[in-house]
Amino acid sequence: MPRIVGVDIPQEKKVAVSLTYIYGVGNTTAARLCRDVGISPDKRAKDLTDDEIARLANTIEKTCMVEGQLRRHVQQNVARLREIACYRGLRHRRGLPVRGQKTQSNARTRKGPRKTVAGKKSVKGH
């Protein structure tokens, strides 16, 4: 498996698809990287030469913020929002959706599993 920026990319897939396994590289960025380095995006990752892998790695390091550096950057942004106590920061702090979604019926991914609350007992005989 070719290793680029600390990530093993799949051998059997095309280069453009394999590059998307790197955190911070999507389809558009992968296609642009292939074009900049001069590699056909349809070439399989296992067919890359050591020189092409090195050129790809250098280009990614120079032009993109990826993997650990990008994760750290995102965490710092969220921490800043929490710190200044803006609306988005409060939503992050409470574990609720940040981007304006409804929460009455959905938002289970952010809120977690349902917490069942016991219902009132009905009083009979009065």
Side-chain angles (χ1 to χ4, degrees), residues 7 12-13 30-31 33-35 38 40 47-49 58-60 62-64 76-77 88 97 100-101 103 107 121 126:
V7 177
E12 299 301 322
K13 300 190 182 218
L33 286 168
C34 288
R35 190 179 61 243
S40 169
D47 298 333
L48 290 174
T49 64
N58 287 338
T59 307
I60 290 172
K62 285 180 193 168
T63 60
C64 306
Q76 287 171 348
N77 289 343
R88 282 173 56 203
Q101 297 93 330
T103 57
K121 304 258 179 174
H126 286 138

Coordinates of all heavy atoms in Angstrom, one line a residue, residues 7 12-13 30-31 33-35 38 40 47-49 58-60 62-64 76-77 88 97 100-101 103 107 121 126:
V7 N -0.9 8.1 5.7 CA -2.1 7.3 5.5 C -1.8 6.3 4.4 O -1.3 6.6 3.4 CB -3.3 8.3 5.1 CG1 -4.5 7.4 4.8 CG2 -3.5 9.3 6.1
E12 N -5.9 -0.9 -5.0 CA -6.7 -1.3 -6.1 C -7.6 -0.2 -6.7 O -8.1 -0.4 -7.8 CB -7.6 -2.5 -5.8 CG -6.9 -3.8 -5.3 CD -5.9 -4.3 -6.4 OE1 -6.2 -4.3 -7.6 OE2 -4.8 -4.7 -6.0
K13 N -7.7 0.9 -6.0 CA -8.6 2.0 -6.5 C -7.8 3.0 -7.3 O -6.6 3.0 -7.2 CB -9.2 2.7 -5.3 CG -10.1 1.7 -4.5 CD -10.9 2.4 -3.5 CE -11.7 1.4 -2.7 NZ -13.0 1.7 -2.3
A30 N -8.6 16.0 -4.8 CA -7.9 14.9 -5.3 C -7.6 15.1 -6.8 O -6.5 14.8 -7.3 CB -8.6 13.6 -5.0
A31 N -8.7 15.5 -7.5 CA -8.5 15.7 -9.0 C -7.5 16.8 -9.3 O -6.7 16.7 -10.2 CB -9.9 16.0 -9.6
L33 N -5.0 17.8 -7.3 CA -3.7 17.3 -7.0 C -3.1 16.4 -8.1 O -2.0 16.6 -8.5 CB -3.7 16.5 -5.7 CG -3.9 17.3 -4.4 CD1 -4.2 16.4 -3.3 CD2 -2.6 18.1 -4.1
C34 N -3.9 15.5 -8.7 CA -3.5 14.7 -9.8 C -3.1 15.5 -11.0 O -2.1 15.3 -11.6 CB -4.6 13.7 -10.2 SG -4.9 12.4 -9.0
R35 N -3.9 16.6 -11.3 CA -3.6 17.5 -12.4 C -2.3 18.2 -12.2 O -1.4 18.3 -13.0 CB -4.8 18.4 -12.6 CG -4.7 19.2 -13.9 CD -5.9 20.2 -14.1 NE -5.9 21.1 -13.0 CZ -7.0 21.2 -12.2 NH1 -8.0 20.4 -12.3 NH2 -7.0 22.2 -11.2
G38 N 0.6 15.9 -12.4 CA 0.8 15.3 -13.8 C 0.6 13.8 -13.8 O 1.2 13.1 -14.6
S40 N -2.3 10.7 -14.2 CA -3.7 10.4 -14.6 C -4.5 10.0 -13.5 O -4.1 9.1 -12.7 CB -3.6 9.3 -15.7 OG -5.0 8.9 -15.9
D47 N 0.0 1.2 -9.2 CA 0.9 1.5 -10.4 C 1.7 2.7 -10.2 O 2.5 3.1 -11.1 CB 0.1 1.6 -11.7 CG -0.6 0.2 -12.0 OD1 -0.1 -0.8 -11.5 OD2 -1.7 0.3 -12.6
L48 N 1.6 3.5 -9.1 CA 2.4 4.7 -8.9 C 3.8 4.4 -8.7 O 4.1 3.4 -7.9 CB 1.8 5.5 -7.7 CG 0.5 6.1 -7.9 CD1 0.0 6.8 -6.6 CD2 0.5 7.2 -9.0
T49 N 4.7 5.2 -9.2 CA 6.1 5.0 -9.0 C 6.5 5.7 -7.7 O 5.7 6.6 -7.2 CB 7.0 5.5 -10.1 OG1 6.8 7.0 -10.2 CG2 6.6 4.9 -11.5
N58 N 4.7 15.7 -1.5 CA 5.2 17.1 -1.4 C 4.1 18.1 -1.7 O 4.0 19.1 -1.0 CB 6.4 17.3 -2.3 CG 7.6 16.6 -1.8 OD1 7.7 16.3 -0.6 ND2 8.6 16.2 -2.7
T59 N 3.4 17.9 -2.8 CA 2.3 18.8 -3.2 C 1.3 18.9 -2.1 O 0.8 20.0 -1.8 CB 1.7 18.4 -4.5 OG1 2.7 18.2 -5.5 CG2 0.7 19.4 -5.0
I60 N 0.9 17.8 -1.5 CA -0.2 17.8 -0.5 C 0.4 18.6 0.7 O -0.4 19.4 1.3 CB -0.6 16.4 -0.1 CG1 -1.3 15.7 -1.2 CG2 -1.4 16.4 1.2 CD1 -1.6 14.2 -1.0
K62 N 2.5 21.0 0.8 CA 2.7 22.4 0.5 C 1.3 23.1 0.4 O 1.2 24.2 0.9 CB 3.4 22.6 -0.8 CG 4.9 22.4 -0.7 CD 5.6 22.6 -2.1 CE 7.0 22.1 -2.1 NZ 7.5 22.0 -3.4
T63 N 0.4 22.5 -0.2 CA -0.9 23.2 -0.6 C -2.1 22.9 0.3 O -3.0 23.8 0.4 CB -1.3 22.8 -2.0 OG1 -1.5 21.4 -2.1 CG2 -0.2 23.2 -3.0
C64 N -2.1 21.8 1.0 CA -3.3 21.4 1.8 C -3.0 21.3 3.3 O -1.9 20.9 3.6 CB -3.9 20.1 1.3 SG -4.2 20.1 -0.5
Q76 N -9.7 23.6 17.5 CA -9.4 25.0 18.0 C -10.5 25.9 17.7 O -10.9 26.8 18.5 CB -8.1 25.5 17.5 CG -6.9 24.8 18.1 CD -5.6 25.2 17.4 OE1 -5.6 25.8 16.3 NE2 -4.4 24.8 18.0
N77 N -11.1 25.8 16.5 CA -12.2 26.6 16.1 C -13.4 26.4 17.0 O -14.1 27.4 17.4 CB -12.6 26.4 14.6 CG -11.6 26.9 13.6 OD1 -10.7 27.8 14.0 ND2 -11.6 26.5 12.4
R88 N -23.5 29.4 18.5 CA -22.9 28.1 18.0 C -22.1 27.4 19.1 O -22.1 26.2 19.2 CB -22.1 28.4 16.7 CG -22.9 28.6 15.5 CD -22.1 29.0 14.3 NE -21.0 28.0 14.0 CZ -19.9 28.3 13.4 NH1 -19.7 29.6 12.9 NH2 -19.0 27.4 13.1
P97 N -27.6 20.2 17.7 CA -27.3 20.6 16.3 C -26.9 22.0 16.3 O -27.5 22.9 16.9 CB -28.5 20.3 15.5 CG -29.3 19.4 16.3 CD -29.0 19.6 17.7
G100 N -28.8 25.0 12.8 CA -30.2 25.4 12.7 C -31.2 24.3 12.4 O -32.4 24.5 12.1
Q101 N -30.8 23.0 12.6 CA -31.8 21.9 12.4 C -32.8 21.9 13.5 O -32.6 22.3 14.6 CB -31.1 20.5 12.3 CG -30.1 20.4 11.2 CD -28.7 20.8 11.5 OE1 -28.5 21.6 12.4 NE2 -27.7 20.2 10.9
T103 N -35.1 20.1 16.5 CA -34.7 19.1 17.4 C -35.9 18.4 18.1 O -35.7 17.5 18.9 CB -33.8 19.7 18.6 OG1 -34.6 20.8 19.2 CG2 -32.5 20.2 18.0
A107 N -32.6 14.9 15.3 CA -31.3 15.2 15.9 C -30.8 14.1 16.9 O -30.1 14.4 17.8 CB -31.5 16.5 16.7
K121 N -48.9 8.6 36.5 CA -49.8 7.5 36.8 C -51.2 8.1 36.8 O -51.4 9.2 37.4 CB -49.5 6.9 38.2 CG -48.1 6.4 38.3 CD -48.0 4.9 38.2 CE -46.6 4.5 38.3 NZ -46.2 3.3 38.3
H126 N -61.7 8.3 41.6 CA -62.1 9.6 42.2 C -63.1 10.2 41.4 O -63.2 10.4 40.3 CB -60.9 10.5 42.4 CG -60.0 10.1 43.5 ND1 -58.7 10.1 43.5 CD2 -60.3 9.7 44.8 CE1 -58.1 9.7 44.6 NE2 -59.1 9.4 45.4

